Amino acid sequence: TYGQVAQEIGQLRAVRAVPGVKKVFVRSGLRFDYAMADRDDSFLRELAEHHVSGQLKVAPEHVSDRVLSLMGKPPRRTYDAFAKKWAAINRELGLKQYLVPYFIASHPGSTLEDAIELAEYLRDSGFVPDQVQDFYPTPGTLATAMYRTGLNPLDMQPVYVAKGARERSMQRALLQFDRPENRALVIDALRQAGRTDLIGSGPGCLVR
C-alpha cells in the first residue's frame, strides 16, 4: 500500500540520517513485483538515488510463465516491466546502475524447452550469469513436494521433473551457453529438443 511504501522510504531516510553513517546499500532481496505496485515510483527513485552501489540483485528465477507459476512467482512481463522502469529511472537520475538477475536451473516444471527459452532470453538481453543455482530439494517446500512426487500438490496435476544428472547438467549449461566448457552439453540439449536452428554462426545461435 501507499502507506507501507512511505514507511519504507522513511526507514531508509532515518538510517541515512544516523550520525556516522555514510552510505546504506540494498544489494539484494528486493521484491520487484511489490515495487511495481508503488503508484508513483517514489520507492524506486529513493532506492536508485541513495541505496544502490552500481548493481542491484533481483531474482526473476525464470522466464517461462508456466515454470514461474509453479514457483509462485509473477509472470515474465512483470520483471520485464520492472527492468524497463529501473533503467528509465536511472537514466533520469543520470546514473549507471544495473540489475543482476538470478536464475535457477532444473526447477520442477522446467523442461529442456523451458531452459532453451531462458537461454534465448539471456542471449537477447546480453546478460549471461556468472553463477547459476541448480534446484535442490529443501524439506517442507512446495517445490520439493513436486520434485519427489511429480505432482503439484495444489491441484494434483502432473509436473515434469528433470531428475537425471545428464538433463540437469544440460539445463544448467544452457544458462551459461557461452562458456567453452559447456559447448558439448548445449549442442546435445539443442539436438535433443529439436532446436538445431540455434547451432551455427548466425546472429541468433547459442553455440557454433
Side-chain angles (χ1 to χ4, degrees):
T1 66
Y2 183 75
Q4 289 173 320
V5 170
Q7 184 178 17
E8 290 171 358
I9 292 174
Q11 289 173 341
L12 290 172
R13 289 175 177 172
V15 175
R16 290 207 311 267
V18 173
V21 173
K22 293 182 179 180
K23 293 288 185 180
V24 179
F25 292 131
V26 176
R27 299 193 183 275
S28 63
L30 176 71
R31 282 292 300 267
F32 61 85
D33 50 338
Y34 288 178
M36 290 298 290
D38 181 6
R39 65 188 184 189
D40 62 4
D41 298 334
S42 56
F43 174 75
L44 283 180
R45 290 180 184 279
E46 190 84 8
L47 187 70
E49 187 170 5
H50 299 289
H51 298 286
V52 175
S53 178
Q55 296 181 340
L56 177 65
K57 295 180 181 180
V58 289
E61 296 190 351
H62 217 286
V63 298
S64 165
D65 283 344
R66 185 175 51 78
V67 177
L68 288 168
S69 178
L70 291 170
M71 290 177 167
K73 301 280 287 186
R76 170 178 169 175
R77 65 178 180 272
T78 302
Y79 176 71
D80 287 345
F82 170 77
K84 184 177 180 180
K85 181 172 289 188
W86 178 255
I89 288 173
N90 278 277
R91 279 196 304 270
E92 292 173 14
L93 295 172
L95 299 172
K96 291 185 178 180
Q97 299 185 136
Y98 305 98
L99 296 176
V100 179
Y102 161 89
F103 296 101
I104 189 168
S106 303
H107 190 280
S110 178
T111 63
L112 271 182
E113 289 75 14
D114 294 312
I116 291 169
E117 180 183 352
L118 178 50
E120 290 187 282
Y121 177 90
L122 295 171
R123 174 203 63 200
D124 295 342
S125 69
F127 173 82
V128 180
D130 290 331
Q131 296 181 333
V132 174
Q133 178 65 52
D134 287 319
F135 171 80
Y136 288 103
T138 304
T141 64
L142 188 64
T144 296
M146 295 179 195
Y147 178 82
R148 294 297 184 192
T149 66
L151 297 171
N152 182 352
L154 299 179
D155 57 17
M156 300 308 292
Q157 293 299 307
V159 174
Y160 178 82
V161 177
K163 288 189 176 180
R166 181 68 176 174
E167 184 179 349
R168 288 173 63 86
S169 295
M170 287 193 291
Q171 290 206 28
R172 180 187 179 92
L174 281 162
L175 272 62
Q176 296 174 315
F177 61 85
D178 63 340
R179 293 193 173 187
E181 64 269 26
N182 289 338
R183 181 174 181 274
L185 280 170
V186 172
I187 290 175
D188 285 351
L190 294 173
R191 286 175 174 166
Q192 184 171 318
R195 293 300 309 274
T196 55
D197 58 299
L198 297 176
I199 304 172
S201 57
C205 291
L206 295 177
V207 65
R208 294 182 66 86

